[in-house]
């Protein structure tokens, strides 16, 4: 019961990572205020929770909704200890030479401003939390491997998530004086609805699409299984807990090794340069390699 007597807010809680994190925090004692634009999904989560989860509708594109969420939760529970800024979708897909200004702004508001305003409106309710009991309040932002390099998402999403990562660092410096920690998680491929909803996959093809995501993601990384929402929920719970009390302004990469380096380093089926040279009679590929 790491979160007994703690109050947590989770955005994007009706599905995928947010749903798994909501259930994880509640199962370990937190009173969770789950929010989403999906009212049916969010309310179902609350109804099945024996009072541990309350649903409040919040569109994270609307700062007034975010403020209302934080104020309502704090009024009902006395303050906020944990904020998981997690809601997002795939955003605009055009490449940089085709994107319209409105599409750019909408994606930045959904993915980046939402996190900034989540922090902005939660912190007044976090400042008073007794550090001796809680180890200080904790904010966790969902970034992405797309924040770290190209090729994992559309351009606008990647730039917005990179902004989330940098916001995490600078917010940690702003909020250290209040004992509030701020960290991010960079998930790799996690098999949730974000792919099918962002790419508007028809209902009839969703199950097949999920199977493709599972197979392709398992093959893309050293850990040979698809990522699950629970993998990220476990990381979020760690960052929310006192076990991570020496961490702030940083990120956890939870990606099955997706970003670890070149494929030939871990996949024996993919030859690298040294293997190619060895095949030409250049020596033993398993011997210590010269620096690149
Ligand atoms: N699934 C992945 O592979 C992956 C990888 C890296 C990062 N992420 C990030 O993880 C987070 C969660 O995504 P997921 O994979 O669980 O997707 P998901 O689609 O399963 O869940 C996202 C939830 O956010 C909600 N949402 C969307 N727009 C919203 C808005 N304007 N206001 C409030 N709620 C809104 C949706 O209704 C949904 O319930 C997102 O920030 C996403 O960018 C996901």
């Amino acid at each position: 019961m790491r979160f007994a007597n703690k109050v947590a807010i989770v955005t994007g809680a009706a599905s995928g990572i947010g749903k798994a994190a909501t259930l994880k925090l509640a199962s370990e004692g937190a009173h969770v205020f789950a929010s989403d634009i999906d009212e049916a999904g969010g309310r179902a989560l609350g109804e099945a929770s024996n009072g541990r989860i309350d649903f409040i509708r919040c569109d994270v594109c609307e700062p007034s909704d975010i403020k209302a969420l934080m104020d309502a939760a704090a009024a009902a529970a006395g303050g906020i200890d944990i904020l998981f800024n997690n809601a997002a979708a795939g955003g605009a897909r055009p490449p940089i030479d085709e994107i319209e200004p409105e599409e750019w702004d909408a994606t930045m508001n959904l993915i980046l401003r939402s996190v900034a305003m989540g922090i902005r409106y939660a912190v007044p309710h976090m400042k008073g939390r007794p550090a001796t009991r809680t180890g200080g309040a904790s904010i966790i932002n969902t970034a992405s491997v797309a924040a770290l390099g190209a090729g994992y998402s559309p351009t606008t999403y990647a730039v917005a998530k990179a902004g989330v990562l940098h916001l995490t660092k600078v917010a940690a410096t702003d909020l250290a004086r209040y004992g509030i920690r701020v960290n991010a998680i960079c998930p790799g491929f996690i098999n949730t609805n974000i792919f099918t909803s962002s790419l508007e996959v028809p209902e009839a093809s969703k199950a097949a699409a999920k199977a493709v995501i599972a197979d392709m993601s398992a093959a893309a990384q050293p850990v040979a299984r698809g990522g699950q929402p629970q993998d990220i929920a476990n990381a979020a719970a760690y960052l929310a807990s006192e076990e991570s009390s020496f961490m702030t302004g940083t990120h956890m990469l939870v990606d099955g090794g997706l970003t670890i380096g070149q494929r030939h380093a871990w996949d024996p089926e993919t030859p690298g340069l040294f293997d190619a040279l060895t095949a030409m009679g250049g020596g033993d590929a398993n011997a210590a390699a010269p620096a690149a």
Side-chain angles (χ1 to χ4, degrees):
M1 299 299 276
R2 284 181 290 181
F3 307 114
N5 302 319
K6 293 201 179 185
V7 179
I9 310 276
V10 178
T11 69
S15 172
I17 291 167
K19 182 175 178 179
T22 297
L23 294 171
K24 174 84 178 164
L25 293 169
S27 74
E28 295 198 37
H31 181 179
V32 185
F33 289 86
S35 71
D36 207 289
I37 46 173
D38 173 0
E39 293 196 40
R43 291 203 191 286
L45 202 51
E47 280 156 17
S49 77
N50 284 337
R52 301 304 312 164
I53 301 169
D54 285 314
F55 175 72
I56 299 177
R57 188 192 186 281
C58 170
D59 180 346
V60 297
C61 295
E62 299 293 339
S64 58
D65 272 21
I66 300 175
K67 182 175 188 311
L69 166 67
M70 303 307 170
D71 291 352
I80 299 171
D81 299 294
I82 296 159
L83 168 62
F84 188 25
N85 271 315
N86 169 72
R93 297 209 297 275
I96 194 63
D97 56 327
E98 292 173 19
I99 190 118
E100 298 297 342
E102 298 76 17
E103 295 175 308
W104 179 271
D105 288 350
T107 302
M108 292 296 154
N109 288 345
L110 169 64
I111 295 177
L112 178 55
R113 190 182 69 178
S114 60
V115 174
M117 293 301 107
I119 297 171
R120 162 70 183 87
Y121 291 119
V123 163
H125 304 297
M126 294 179 134
K127 282 179 180 170
R129 304 306 272 176
T132 47
R133 181 169 64 79
T134 65
S138 177
I139 297 171
I140 304 113
N141 303 321
T142 307
S144 171
V145 290
L148 306 172
Y152 301 109
S153 77
T155 297
T156 319
Y157 178 99
V159 174
K161 289 293 191 184
V164 170
L165 218 46
H166 201 64
L167 172 62
T168 299
K169 286 187 195 172
V170 294
T173 64
D174 283 350
L175 302 178
R177 73 199 70 174
Y178 308 116
I180 299 171
R181 299 182 297 113
V182 190
N183 292 290
I185 301 172
C186 291
F189 291 125
I190 307 297
N191 205 341
T192 71
N193 294 330
I194 198 167
F195 301 100
T196 50
S197 57
S198 300
L199 296 170
E200 294 164 33
V201 173
E203 197 58 44
S205 305
K206 278 189 179 166
K210 284 216 154 192
V212 169
I213 296 163
D215 286 351
M216 290 194 72
S217 61
Q221 66 217 6
V223 176
R225 69 165 173 86
Q228 297 299 324
Q230 198 61 47
D231 294 312
I232 309 305
N234 291 342
Y238 171 70
L239 290 174
S241 76
E242 290 182 26
E243 290 158 32
S244 63
S245 62
F246 204 50
M247 292 175 70
T248 194
T250 188
H251 64 272
M252 285 178 72
L253 189 51
V254 187
D255 70 348
L258 180 66
T259 56
I260 207 166
Q262 295 191 41
R263 186 176 185 101
H264 68 78
W266 55 269
D267 180 3
E269 304 299 318
T270 304
L273 176 61
F274 297 129
D275 300 292
L277 293 179
T278 304
M280 295 169 71
D284 178 2
N286 293 320

